[in-house]
Amino acid sequence: MTTQNLTDPDEITALMTGTATPSTADVSAGEPDEKPAIQIGGEAETIRALTTALGHGALPDVYVSGGQLVHLSRVSGKAASAAEHAHQVDAGALPVQADPITSPSLAWLLAHHAFVYRNKFNKATEQWEDVEASPTKAALSAVLSSRYWPDVRPLVGVVTSPVLRPDGTLLQTAGYDTTTGLYYAPTVTMPTIPAQPSTQEVSEALEFITSKLLRDFPFVADADKANHIGLMIAPILRPFLNGCLTPFGLISATTQSSGKTLLAEIPGHIYGLKHLVWRTSDENELQKSITSALHSTAAVMLWDNIAEGTEVSSALLAKLITGPKWDDRNLGSNSAGFETTNDRLWLATGNNIRLGGDMATRTALVRLDPNDPHPDQRDQTGFGIPHLDQWLKKPANRVTVLRHLLILVMDWINAGAPRSGHTMRQFTTWAGAAGGFLAHHGIDGFLDNVAEMREADDGNTTWTAFLARWHELHGDTPLRAKVLCHSAEPTETSGKLVDRWDGTFLTDERDRIPNSKSLGKLLTGHIGRWHGHYVLRSEFDKSANMNVFWVEINPESDQADHDQTPAAADQTALI
């Protein structure tokens, strides 16, 4: 058997010439004389030989991600992939997955794609022979312990649809893309998208998206439709925008059968969809759910049909949405290990969903209201696309949707990729680009429902009412927390107990007025934070040896002109 010793880097490079971008579709075990040969010996020699061979591409579809070697392979028979398989054009177009290489998986890869041997002396023939061998588990583990692989191609991620490169060109050739570090593994056959679409193509694409695909969804306002389109193009734009973060997409409807799930599944159909279970009551379970989902290559993560009236409030979710990276312990292990780029579009649907904590400023809101007692019985005869849910199940139709979106994106690029002036926390890059894209195509209303977003924020609504009443009762007079608690006690007037705060005073989890110590902590956490037109201020009172608090109102707001502070006779006594 003819072999080539791969302990020499120059020989490895020569052997691998012309195979810089192997495709998982072409991977095969091959005949023995086609396999690269790796000679091993003692433990130290084996570690050096394997490290050199891996670094120079002896094994196909091996990349480095976050300092860890990963193997890109197609996955068959996944228990949770029935929905994913339904999105394929061909039954053979299996999902592509990048898995960290372990000692057993490295042994498997070496056995199938390399001829690993030791040189042994045959006493019978009195000759040295090349005998196939398997490296020890200790040697394999030692090789994989390295975090530095300068000659291995970096894998940024796997995408299943075309995306925009940083230079404005479209990645639409299957396989590894050196420019971006992305691996494009299409699940549908996409036609080539022109770099410069014609005026007619752009006009047809805009007409299709706005007046056919989305026409019959009962959006409350233009902002809701614009926001959804802005979220839909996010997976395409992300590499162009240097991996920018996108906000949490909340599709909230007034009633069932409004089309919220279908609306969320449109980007899921064209980019790949993963359903998650809503478990924010248990942060540990939510963390496990997110980590598990991020092992999938699906670009869209969806919490569908959250219970009606649920308040979306989670510190872990807020961290996820605003963090470019996600890290967690390896599943089933106590050791830290799993880390990945947060490059997904996170969506949720539900009826009359509320927001809490910091989620309001991290969310793009899409509202639906059919204003119909029986929206599920609507006659779809005149719809732009009747029975859209069934229509989207056909691969050719999903290609049509994606093609039109890509044409609109390329037209925006050819116009210089103009940006708008929209700002949004850590999502300003996305907001400016999406706003510019929508304005370029004449789609109005983007992010115009900020006020409605704040109304959906239960925490902000509660604090706004509390501070407004505080200012009405006490003006900007500094008060101690104990005095403020005393003012919340009902007073007797004409034999009746009267609540001066009209039910707006803060309460604890048992719906009781907190004690002065607890109230002081609550107030301290909101110093300088605006709620509506009001902001809480504080300073340390040396004479009382404690903090005092007061409320200020924005002098430029309309509320300031109407907000009348009562001249309480006992105001001084309250201080």
Side-chain angles (χ1 to χ4, degrees), residues 34 71 117 156 167 192 222 239 250 281 298 311 354 377 403 437 467 470 489 496-497 503 505 531 537 544:
E34 295 176 349
H71 179 245
Y117 69 96
V156 174
D167 63 0
T192 300
D222 290 343
L250 175 61
S281 59
E311 180 187 66
R354 311 294 295 174
Q377 299 178 17
R403 176 178 174 273
F437 168 88
L467 295 179
W470 179 343
E489 295 176 1
K496 296 182 179 179
L497 290 178
F505 202 89
H531 293 284
R537 303 298 188 191

Side-chain angles (χ1 to χ4, degrees), residues 478-495:
L479 301 176
R480 290 174 289 163
K482 183 177 181 179
V483 172
L484 199 63
C485 283
H486 176 67
S487 76
E489 295 176 1
T491 58
E492 186 172 345
T493 303
S494 301

